Amino acid sequence: MDIVLEIYRASPDWVKALWVLSIPAFVAAMTGMVLWYRVEMRRIANGRPLASSVAELLVENPV
């Protein structure tokens, strides 16, 4: 574990920023995929066709 900390301390600032931002970016991507899945499953259950884009999900088009 000490080796990882030493590598982190010796790395440039932009690499440190990538390390710090990688976990929130991963969480945001996973949240987006889960929400997309839930919205699509609800659309299927209601008999609506699958959305081809995010814009189609944001606009309510009653069928």
Short mmCIF file of all heavy atoms in Angstrom, two decimals:
data_model
loop_
_atom_site.label_atom_id
_atom_site.label_comp_id
_atom_site.label_asym_id
_atom_site.label_seq_id
_atom_site.Cartn_x
_atom_site.Cartn_y
_atom_site.Cartn_z
N MET A 1 0.82 -1.20 0.00
CA MET A 1 0.00 0.00 0.00
C MET A 1 0.87 1.26 0.00
O MET A 1 0.46 2.28 -0.54
CB MET A 1 -0.93 -0.05 1.21
CG MET A 1 -1.98 0.99 1.19
SD MET A 1 -3.11 0.66 -0.16
CE MET A 1 -4.38 1.78 0.19
N ASP A 2 2.02 1.19 0.61
CA ASP A 2 2.91 2.35 0.64
C ASP A 2 3.39 2.72 -0.74
O ASP A 2 3.60 3.90 -1.03
CB ASP A 2 4.11 2.07 1.54
CG ASP A 2 3.71 1.98 3.01
OD1 ASP A 2 2.69 2.59 3.37
OD2 ASP A 2 4.41 1.30 3.78
N ILE A 3 3.55 1.73 -1.61
CA ILE A 3 4.02 2.00 -2.96
C ILE A 3 2.98 2.82 -3.71
O ILE A 3 3.32 3.77 -4.42
CB ILE A 3 4.33 0.67 -3.70
CG1 ILE A 3 5.52 -0.02 -3.04
CG2 ILE A 3 4.59 0.93 -5.16
CD1 ILE A 3 5.79 -1.40 -3.58
N VAL A 4 1.71 2.49 -3.53
CA VAL A 4 0.64 3.23 -4.21
C VAL A 4 0.62 4.67 -3.75
O VAL A 4 0.49 5.60 -4.55
CB VAL A 4 -0.72 2.54 -3.97
CG1 VAL A 4 -1.85 3.38 -4.53
CG2 VAL A 4 -0.73 1.15 -4.56
N LEU A 5 0.76 4.89 -2.45
CA LEU A 5 0.78 6.26 -1.94
C LEU A 5 1.99 7.03 -2.42
O LEU A 5 1.88 8.23 -2.73
CB LEU A 5 0.74 6.25 -0.41
CG LEU A 5 -0.59 5.79 0.21
CD1 LEU A 5 -0.46 5.70 1.72
CD2 LEU A 5 -1.71 6.70 -0.18
N GLU A 6 3.11 6.38 -2.52
CA GLU A 6 4.31 7.06 -3.03
C GLU A 6 4.14 7.42 -4.50
O GLU A 6 4.55 8.51 -4.93
CB GLU A 6 5.55 6.18 -2.84
CG GLU A 6 5.99 6.06 -1.40
CD GLU A 6 6.35 7.40 -0.79
OE1 GLU A 6 6.97 8.24 -1.49
OE2 GLU A 6 5.99 7.62 0.37
N ILE A 7 3.56 6.52 -5.27
CA ILE A 7 3.31 6.81 -6.68
C ILE A 7 2.34 7.98 -6.81
O ILE A 7 2.53 8.88 -7.62
CB ILE A 7 2.77 5.56 -7.41
CG1 ILE A 7 3.86 4.49 -7.49
CG2 ILE A 7 2.27 5.92 -8.80
CD1 ILE A 7 3.37 3.16 -7.99
N TYR A 8 1.31 7.99 -5.97
CA TYR A 8 0.34 9.09 -6.00
C TYR A 8 1.01 10.42 -5.65
O TYR A 8 0.79 11.43 -6.31
CB TYR A 8 -0.81 8.80 -5.03
CG TYR A 8 -1.84 9.90 -4.98
CD1 TYR A 8 -2.78 10.03 -5.98
CD2 TYR A 8 -1.85 10.81 -3.93
CE1 TYR A 8 -3.72 11.04 -5.95
CE2 TYR A 8 -2.79 11.83 -3.89
CZ TYR A 8 -3.72 11.94 -4.89
OH TYR A 8 -4.64 12.95 -4.85
N ARG A 9 1.81 10.42 -4.61
CA ARG A 9 2.48 11.66 -4.17
C ARG A 9 3.45 12.18 -5.23
O ARG A 9 3.62 13.39 -5.38
CB ARG A 9 3.22 11.42 -2.87
CG ARG A 9 2.30 11.27 -1.70
CD ARG A 9 3.08 11.10 -0.42
NE ARG A 9 2.19 10.76 0.68
CZ ARG A 9 2.43 9.84 1.59
NH1 ARG A 9 3.56 9.17 1.57
NH2 ARG A 9 1.56 9.60 2.54
N ALA A 10 4.09 11.28 -5.96
CA ALA A 10 5.09 11.70 -6.95
C ALA A 10 4.47 12.04 -8.30
O ALA A 10 5.16 12.56 -9.17
CB ALA A 10 6.12 10.58 -7.13
N SER A 11 3.20 11.75 -8.49
CA SER A 11 2.58 11.97 -9.79
C SER A 11 2.24 13.45 -9.98
O SER A 11 2.06 14.19 -9.02
CB SER A 11 1.32 11.12 -9.93
OG SER A 11 0.37 11.50 -8.96
N PRO A 12 2.12 13.88 -11.25
CA PRO A 12 1.74 15.27 -11.52
C PRO A 12 0.30 15.56 -11.09
O PRO A 12 -0.49 14.65 -10.85
CB PRO A 12 1.89 15.40 -13.04
CG PRO A 12 2.29 14.09 -13.55
CD PRO A 12 2.43 13.14 -12.45
N ASP A 13 -0.02 16.85 -11.02
CA ASP A 13 -1.34 17.25 -10.55
C ASP A 13 -2.47 16.75 -11.43
O ASP A 13 -3.54 16.38 -10.93
CB ASP A 13 -1.42 18.78 -10.44
CG ASP A 13 -0.61 19.31 -9.28
OD1 ASP A 13 -0.31 18.52 -8.36
OD2 ASP A 13 -0.30 20.51 -9.29
N TRP A 14 -2.28 16.69 -12.74
CA TRP A 14 -3.36 16.23 -13.61
C TRP A 14 -3.66 14.76 -13.39
O TRP A 14 -4.81 14.33 -13.52
CB TRP A 14 -3.06 16.53 -15.08
CG TRP A 14 -1.91 15.76 -15.67
CD1 TRP A 14 -0.61 16.11 -15.67
CD2 TRP A 14 -2.00 14.50 -16.33
NE1 TRP A 14 0.14 15.15 -16.30
CE2 TRP A 14 -0.69 14.14 -16.72
CE3 TRP A 14 -3.05 13.64 -16.65
CZ2 TRP A 14 -0.41 12.97 -17.40
CZ3 TRP A 14 -2.77 12.47 -17.32
CH2 TRP A 14 -1.45 12.14 -17.68
N VAL A 15 -2.65 13.96 -13.04
CA VAL A 15 -2.89 12.54 -12.74
C VAL A 15 -3.64 12.41 -11.42
O VAL A 15 -4.55 11.58 -11.29
CB VAL A 15 -1.55 11.76 -12.71
CG1 VAL A 15 -1.77 10.34 -12.24
CG2 VAL A 15 -0.88 11.79 -14.06
N LYS A 16 -3.28 13.23 -10.45
CA LYS A 16 -4.00 13.22 -9.17
C LYS A 16 -5.47 13.59 -9.39
O LYS A 16 -6.36 13.01 -8.77
CB LYS A 16 -3.35 14.19 -8.19
CG LYS A 16 -2.00 13.73 -7.71
CD LYS A 16 -1.39 14.77 -6.78
CE LYS A 16 0.02 14.37 -6.39
NZ LYS A 16 0.66 15.39 -5.57
N ALA A 17 -5.72 14.55 -10.25
CA ALA A 17 -7.10 14.95 -10.54
C ALA A 17 -7.87 13.80 -11.17
O ALA A 17 -9.04 13.58 -10.85
CB ALA A 17 -7.10 16.17 -11.44
N LEU A 18 -7.23 13.06 -12.08
CA LEU A 18 -7.89 11.90 -12.69
C LEU A 18 -8.22 10.84 -11.64
O LEU A 18 -9.30 10.24 -11.68
CB LEU A 18 -7.00 11.29 -13.77
CG LEU A 18 -6.94 12.02 -15.10
CD1 LEU A 18 -5.97 11.33 -16.03
CD2 LEU A 18 -8.31 12.10 -15.73
N TRP A 19 -7.29 10.60 -10.72
CA TRP A 19 -7.54 9.62 -9.66
C TRP A 19 -8.73 10.04 -8.80
O TRP A 19 -9.57 9.22 -8.46
CB TRP A 19 -6.31 9.47 -8.78
CG TRP A 19 -5.20 8.63 -9.34
CD1 TRP A 19 -4.85 8.51 -10.64
CD2 TRP A 19 -4.31 7.81 -8.61
NE1 TRP A 19 -3.78 7.68 -10.76
CE2 TRP A 19 -3.42 7.23 -9.52
CE3 TRP A 19 -4.16 7.53 -7.26
CZ2 TRP A 19 -2.41 6.37 -9.13
CZ3 TRP A 19 -3.15 6.67 -6.87
CH2 TRP A 19 -2.29 6.09 -7.80
N VAL A 20 -8.78 11.32 -8.46
CA VAL A 20 -9.85 11.80 -7.58
C VAL A 20 -11.20 11.79 -8.30
O VAL A 20 -12.22 11.45 -7.70
CB VAL A 20 -9.50 13.21 -7.06
CG1 VAL A 20 -10.67 13.86 -6.38
CG2 VAL A 20 -8.30 13.14 -6.13
N LEU A 21 -11.22 12.13 -9.58
CA LEU A 21 -12.48 12.24 -10.32
C LEU A 21 -12.98 10.92 -10.90
O LEU A 21 -14.13 10.84 -11.34
CB LEU A 21 -12.33 13.26 -11.45
CG LEU A 21 -12.09 14.69 -10.98
CD1 LEU A 21 -11.86 15.59 -12.19
CD2 LEU A 21 -13.26 15.19 -10.17
N SER A 22 -12.16 9.89 -10.88
CA SER A 22 -12.56 8.63 -11.50
C SER A 22 -13.72 7.96 -10.75
O SER A 22 -14.63 7.42 -11.39
CB SER A 22 -11.38 7.68 -11.61
OG SER A 22 -10.90 7.33 -10.32
N ILE A 23 -13.72 7.99 -9.44
CA ILE A 23 -14.80 7.35 -8.68
C ILE A 23 -16.12 8.08 -8.86
O ILE A 23 -17.14 7.43 -9.15
CB ILE A 23 -14.41 7.19 -7.19
CG1 ILE A 23 -13.26 6.19 -7.10
CG2 ILE A 23 -15.60 6.74 -6.36
CD1 ILE A 23 -12.70 6.00 -5.72
N PRO A 24 -16.20 9.41 -8.71
CA PRO A 24 -17.48 10.07 -8.98
C PRO A 24 -17.97 9.89 -10.42
O PRO A 24 -19.18 9.75 -10.65
CB PRO A 24 -17.21 11.55 -8.68
CG PRO A 24 -16.04 11.55 -7.77
CD PRO A 24 -15.23 10.36 -8.15
N ALA A 25 -17.06 9.86 -11.37
CA ALA A 25 -17.46 9.64 -12.76
C ALA A 25 -18.04 8.23 -12.93
O ALA A 25 -19.04 8.05 -13.63
CB ALA A 25 -16.27 9.84 -13.69
N PHE A 26 -17.44 7.24 -12.29
CA PHE A 26 -17.95 5.88 -12.36
C PHE A 26 -19.34 5.80 -11.74
O PHE A 26 -20.25 5.19 -12.31
CB PHE A 26 -16.98 4.92 -11.65
CG PHE A 26 -17.49 3.52 -11.56
CD1 PHE A 26 -17.44 2.68 -12.66
CD2 PHE A 26 -18.02 3.04 -10.38
CE1 PHE A 26 -17.91 1.38 -12.59
CE2 PHE A 26 -18.49 1.74 -10.29
CZ PHE A 26 -18.44 0.92 -11.40
N VAL A 27 -19.51 6.42 -10.57
CA VAL A 27 -20.81 6.39 -9.90
C VAL A 27 -21.87 7.09 -10.75
O VAL A 27 -23.00 6.60 -10.88
CB VAL A 27 -20.71 7.04 -8.50
CG1 VAL A 27 -22.08 7.24 -7.88
CG2 VAL A 27 -19.84 6.18 -7.59
N ALA A 28 -21.52 8.22 -11.36
CA ALA A 28 -22.48 8.93 -12.21
C ALA A 28 -22.86 8.09 -13.43
O ALA A 28 -24.03 8.04 -13.82
CB ALA A 28 -21.89 10.27 -12.64
N ALA A 29 -21.89 7.42 -14.03
CA ALA A 29 -22.18 6.58 -15.20
C ALA A 29 -23.08 5.40 -14.82
O ALA A 29 -24.03 5.08 -15.54
CB ALA A 29 -20.88 6.08 -15.82
N MET A 30 -22.79 4.77 -13.70
CA MET A 30 -23.62 3.64 -13.26
C MET A 30 -25.04 4.10 -12.93
O MET A 30 -26.02 3.42 -13.25
CB MET A 30 -23.00 2.95 -12.05
CG MET A 30 -21.75 2.16 -12.37
SD MET A 30 -22.01 0.85 -13.58
CE MET A 30 -23.14 -0.21 -12.71
N THR A 31 -25.16 5.26 -12.29
CA THR A 31 -26.48 5.80 -11.96
C THR A 31 -27.27 6.08 -13.25
O THR A 31 -28.46 5.76 -13.33
CB THR A 31 -26.35 7.08 -11.13
OG1 THR A 31 -25.62 6.78 -9.94
CG2 THR A 31 -27.70 7.65 -10.77
N GLY A 32 -26.61 6.65 -14.23
CA GLY A 32 -27.27 6.91 -15.50
C GLY A 32 -27.76 5.64 -16.18
O GLY A 32 -28.87 5.60 -16.71
N MET A 33 -26.93 4.61 -16.16
CA MET A 33 -27.33 3.35 -16.80
C MET A 33 -28.49 2.69 -16.06
O MET A 33 -29.43 2.18 -16.69
CB MET A 33 -26.15 2.39 -16.87
CG MET A 33 -25.13 2.78 -17.90
SD MET A 33 -23.87 1.53 -18.22
CE MET A 33 -22.96 1.56 -16.71
N VAL A 34 -28.48 2.74 -14.72
CA VAL A 34 -29.58 2.15 -13.95
C VAL A 34 -30.87 2.92 -14.19
O VAL A 34 -31.94 2.32 -14.37
CB VAL A 34 -29.21 2.10 -12.45
CG1 VAL A 34 -30.43 1.77 -11.60
CG2 VAL A 34 -28.11 1.09 -12.20
N LEU A 35 -30.79 4.25 -14.21
CA LEU A 35 -31.99 5.05 -14.45
C LEU A 35 -32.54 4.82 -15.85
O LEU A 35 -33.75 4.73 -16.04
CB LEU A 35 -31.70 6.53 -14.22
CG LEU A 35 -31.47 6.93 -12.76
CD1 LEU A 35 -31.08 8.39 -12.68
CD2 LEU A 35 -32.68 6.63 -11.91
N TRP A 36 -31.65 4.73 -16.84
CA TRP A 36 -32.08 4.44 -18.21
C TRP A 36 -32.82 3.09 -18.26
O TRP A 36 -33.88 2.98 -18.86
CB TRP A 36 -30.87 4.42 -19.14
CG TRP A 36 -31.22 4.12 -20.56
CD1 TRP A 36 -31.32 2.90 -21.15
CD2 TRP A 36 -31.52 5.07 -21.59
NE1 TRP A 36 -31.65 3.03 -22.46
CE2 TRP A 36 -31.78 4.34 -22.76
CE3 TRP A 36 -31.57 6.44 -21.61
CZ2 TRP A 36 -32.10 4.98 -23.94
CZ3 TRP A 36 -31.89 7.06 -22.80
CH2 TRP A 36 -32.16 6.32 -23.95
N TYR A 37 -32.26 2.09 -17.60
CA TYR A 37 -32.87 0.77 -17.58
C TYR A 37 -34.26 0.83 -16.95
O TYR A 37 -35.21 0.26 -17.48
CB TYR A 37 -31.97 -0.20 -16.80
CG TYR A 37 -32.57 -1.56 -16.60
CD1 TYR A 37 -32.55 -2.50 -17.63
CD2 TYR A 37 -33.17 -1.91 -15.40
CE1 TYR A 37 -33.11 -3.75 -17.46
CE2 TYR A 37 -33.72 -3.15 -15.22
CZ TYR A 37 -33.70 -4.07 -16.25
OH TYR A 37 -34.25 -5.30 -16.07
N ARG A 38 -34.37 1.52 -15.81
CA ARG A 38 -35.67 1.59 -15.13
C ARG A 38 -36.72 2.31 -15.98
O ARG A 38 -37.87 1.88 -16.06
CB ARG A 38 -35.51 2.29 -13.79
CG ARG A 38 -34.74 1.43 -12.79
CD ARG A 38 -34.61 2.12 -11.50
NE ARG A 38 -35.95 2.41 -10.98
CZ ARG A 38 -36.24 2.47 -9.70
NH1 ARG A 38 -35.32 2.26 -8.81
NH2 ARG A 38 -37.46 2.74 -9.32
N VAL A 39 -36.32 3.39 -16.63
CA VAL A 39 -37.26 4.13 -17.49
C VAL A 39 -37.70 3.26 -18.66
O VAL A 39 -38.89 3.20 -18.99
CB VAL A 39 -36.62 5.45 -17.99
CG1 VAL A 39 -37.43 6.06 -19.12
CG2 VAL A 39 -36.47 6.43 -16.84
N GLU A 40 -36.77 2.57 -19.28
CA GLU A 40 -37.12 1.72 -20.42
C GLU A 40 -38.02 0.55 -20.00
O GLU A 40 -38.95 0.19 -20.71
CB GLU A 40 -35.86 1.19 -21.11
CG GLU A 40 -35.10 2.27 -21.86
CD GLU A 40 -35.91 2.90 -22.97
OE1 GLU A 40 -36.71 2.21 -23.62
OE2 GLU A 40 -35.73 4.10 -23.19
N MET A 41 -37.75 -0.05 -18.85
CA MET A 41 -38.61 -1.14 -18.37
C MET A 41 -40.02 -0.63 -18.08
O MET A 41 -41.00 -1.32 -18.34
CB MET A 41 -38.01 -1.79 -17.12
CG MET A 41 -36.76 -2.60 -17.38
SD MET A 41 -37.04 -3.96 -18.53
CE MET A 41 -36.16 -3.39 -19.96
N ARG A 42 -40.12 0.58 -17.56
CA ARG A 42 -41.44 1.15 -17.30
C ARG A 42 -42.17 1.43 -18.61
O ARG A 42 -43.37 1.23 -18.72
CB ARG A 42 -41.29 2.43 -16.48
CG ARG A 42 -42.64 2.95 -15.99
CD ARG A 42 -42.48 4.00 -14.96
NE ARG A 42 -41.89 3.39 -13.77
CZ ARG A 42 -41.28 4.07 -12.82
NH1 ARG A 42 -41.17 5.37 -12.92
NH2 ARG A 42 -40.78 3.46 -11.78
N ARG A 43 -41.42 1.90 -19.63
CA ARG A 43 -42.04 2.16 -20.94
C ARG A 43 -42.54 0.86 -21.56
O ARG A 43 -43.61 0.81 -22.15
CB ARG A 43 -41.04 2.83 -21.87
CG ARG A 43 -40.75 4.27 -21.51
CD ARG A 43 -39.65 4.84 -22.37
NE ARG A 43 -40.08 5.04 -23.74
CZ ARG A 43 -40.53 6.19 -24.22
NH1 ARG A 43 -40.60 7.25 -23.43
NH2 ARG A 43 -40.90 6.29 -25.46
N ILE A 44 -41.76 -0.20 -21.43
CA ILE A 44 -42.18 -1.50 -21.97
C ILE A 44 -43.43 -1.99 -21.25
O ILE A 44 -44.37 -2.50 -21.87
CB ILE A 44 -41.03 -2.52 -21.86
CG1 ILE A 44 -39.92 -2.14 -22.82
CG2 ILE A 44 -41.53 -3.94 -22.14
CD1 ILE A 44 -38.65 -2.94 -22.64
N ALA A 45 -43.45 -1.84 -19.92
CA ALA A 45 -44.61 -2.29 -19.14
C ALA A 45 -45.86 -1.52 -19.51
O ALA A 45 -46.97 -2.07 -19.45
CB ALA A 45 -44.32 -2.15 -17.65
N ASN A 46 -45.72 -0.27 -19.91
CA ASN A 46 -46.88 0.54 -20.30
C ASN A 46 -47.25 0.37 -21.76
O ASN A 46 -48.16 1.03 -22.25
CB ASN A 46 -46.61 2.02 -20.01
CG ASN A 46 -46.56 2.30 -18.53
OD1 ASN A 46 -47.14 1.57 -17.73
ND2 ASN A 46 -45.87 3.36 -18.15
N GLY A 47 -46.53 -0.46 -22.50
CA GLY A 47 -46.86 -0.72 -23.88
C GLY A 47 -46.32 0.31 -24.85
O GLY A 47 -46.72 0.35 -26.01
N ARG A 48 -45.39 1.16 -24.42
CA ARG A 48 -44.80 2.15 -25.30
C ARG A 48 -43.56 1.56 -25.97
O ARG A 48 -42.88 0.72 -25.40
CB ARG A 48 -44.39 3.40 -24.53
CG ARG A 48 -45.56 4.14 -23.93
CD ARG A 48 -45.06 5.35 -23.22
NE ARG A 48 -46.16 6.07 -22.58
CZ ARG A 48 -45.98 7.08 -21.77
NH1 ARG A 48 -44.78 7.49 -21.47
NH2 ARG A 48 -47.01 7.67 -21.24
N PRO A 49 -43.22 2.02 -27.16
CA PRO A 49 -42.01 1.53 -27.81
C PRO A 49 -40.76 2.05 -27.11
O PRO A 49 -40.81 3.03 -26.38
CB PRO A 49 -42.11 2.09 -29.23
CG PRO A 49 -43.00 3.27 -29.10
CD PRO A 49 -43.96 2.95 -27.98
N LEU A 50 -39.65 1.39 -27.37
CA LEU A 50 -38.38 1.80 -26.78
C LEU A 50 -37.94 3.16 -27.31
O LEU A 50 -38.17 3.48 -28.47
CB LEU A 50 -37.29 0.77 -27.08
CG LEU A 50 -37.46 -0.59 -26.44
CD1 LEU A 50 -36.34 -1.52 -26.92
CD2 LEU A 50 -37.43 -0.50 -24.94
N ALA A 51 -37.30 3.95 -26.45
CA ALA A 51 -36.80 5.25 -26.86
C ALA A 51 -35.49 5.08 -27.61
O ALA A 51 -34.66 4.26 -27.24
CB ALA A 51 -36.59 6.15 -25.64
N SER A 52 -35.31 5.85 -28.66
CA SER A 52 -34.08 5.76 -29.43
C SER A 52 -33.04 6.76 -28.96
O SER A 52 -31.88 6.65 -29.34
CB SER A 52 -34.37 5.97 -30.91
OG SER A 52 -34.94 7.25 -31.09
N SER A 53 -33.45 7.74 -28.13
CA SER A 53 -32.50 8.74 -27.65
C SER A 53 -32.97 9.28 -26.31
O SER A 53 -34.10 9.07 -25.89
CB SER A 53 -32.37 9.88 -28.65
OG SER A 53 -33.57 10.61 -28.69
N VAL A 54 -32.06 10.01 -25.65
CA VAL A 54 -32.40 10.63 -24.37
C VAL A 54 -33.44 11.71 -24.56
O VAL A 54 -34.33 11.88 -23.73
CB VAL A 54 -31.12 11.21 -23.72
CG1 VAL A 54 -31.45 11.97 -22.46
CG2 VAL A 54 -30.13 10.10 -23.42
N ALA A 55 -33.38 12.45 -25.66
CA ALA A 55 -34.34 13.52 -25.92
C ALA A 55 -35.77 12.96 -25.99
O ALA A 55 -36.71 13.61 -25.56
CB ALA A 55 -33.99 14.24 -27.22
N GLU A 56 -35.89 11.77 -26.50
CA GLU A 56 -37.20 11.15 -26.59
C GLU A 56 -37.75 10.81 -25.20
O GLU A 56 -38.95 10.82 -24.98
CB GLU A 56 -37.10 9.88 -27.43
CG GLU A 56 -38.42 9.37 -27.94
CD GLU A 56 -38.23 8.22 -28.90
OE1 GLU A 56 -37.40 8.35 -29.81
OE2 GLU A 56 -38.90 7.20 -28.70
N LEU A 57 -36.86 10.52 -24.25
CA LEU A 57 -37.29 10.24 -22.89
C LEU A 57 -37.72 11.51 -22.16
O LEU A 57 -38.59 11.47 -21.29
CB LEU A 57 -36.16 9.58 -22.09
CG LEU A 57 -35.78 8.18 -22.50
CD1 LEU A 57 -34.58 7.72 -21.70
CD2 LEU A 57 -36.93 7.23 -22.29
N LEU A 58 -37.10 12.63 -22.48
CA LEU A 58 -37.38 13.87 -21.79
C LEU A 58 -38.69 14.50 -22.22
O LEU A 58 -39.30 15.23 -21.44
CB LEU A 58 -36.23 14.86 -22.00
CG LEU A 58 -34.88 14.41 -21.44
CD1 LEU A 58 -33.81 15.42 -21.80
CD2 LEU A 58 -34.96 14.24 -19.94
N VAL A 59 -39.13 14.22 -23.42
CA VAL A 59 -40.37 14.80 -23.93
C VAL A 59 -41.49 13.78 -23.72
O VAL A 59 -41.37 12.63 -24.11
CB VAL A 59 -40.24 15.12 -25.44
CG1 VAL A 59 -41.54 15.64 -25.98
CG2 VAL A 59 -39.11 16.11 -25.66
N GLU A 60 -42.54 14.21 -23.06
CA GLU A 60 -43.68 13.32 -22.84
C GLU A 60 -44.50 13.26 -24.10
O GLU A 60 -45.06 14.25 -24.56
CB GLU A 60 -44.53 13.83 -21.68
CG GLU A 60 -44.00 13.40 -20.34
CD GLU A 60 -44.01 11.89 -20.16
OE1 GLU A 60 -44.98 11.23 -20.56
OE2 GLU A 60 -43.02 11.38 -19.61
N ASN A 61 -44.58 12.09 -24.69
CA ASN A 61 -45.40 11.85 -25.87
C ASN A 61 -46.45 10.82 -25.52
O ASN A 61 -46.23 9.63 -25.65
CB ASN A 61 -44.54 11.34 -27.04
CG ASN A 61 -43.55 12.36 -27.52
OD1 ASN A 61 -43.83 13.54 -27.48
ND2 ASN A 61 -42.40 11.89 -27.95
N PRO A 62 -47.63 11.25 -25.06
CA PRO A 62 -48.65 10.25 -24.73
C PRO A 62 -49.09 9.50 -25.96
O PRO A 62 -49.33 10.09 -27.02
CB PRO A 62 -49.79 11.07 -24.13
CG PRO A 62 -49.53 12.48 -24.52
CD PRO A 62 -48.08 12.61 -24.84
N VAL A 63 -49.18 8.22 -25.83
CA VAL A 63 -49.56 7.37 -26.96
C VAL A 63 -50.96 6.89 -26.77
O VAL A 63 -51.42 6.56 -25.74
CB VAL A 63 -48.61 6.17 -27.10
CG1 VAL A 63 -49.05 5.26 -28.22
CG2 VAL A 63 -47.21 6.67 -27.34
#
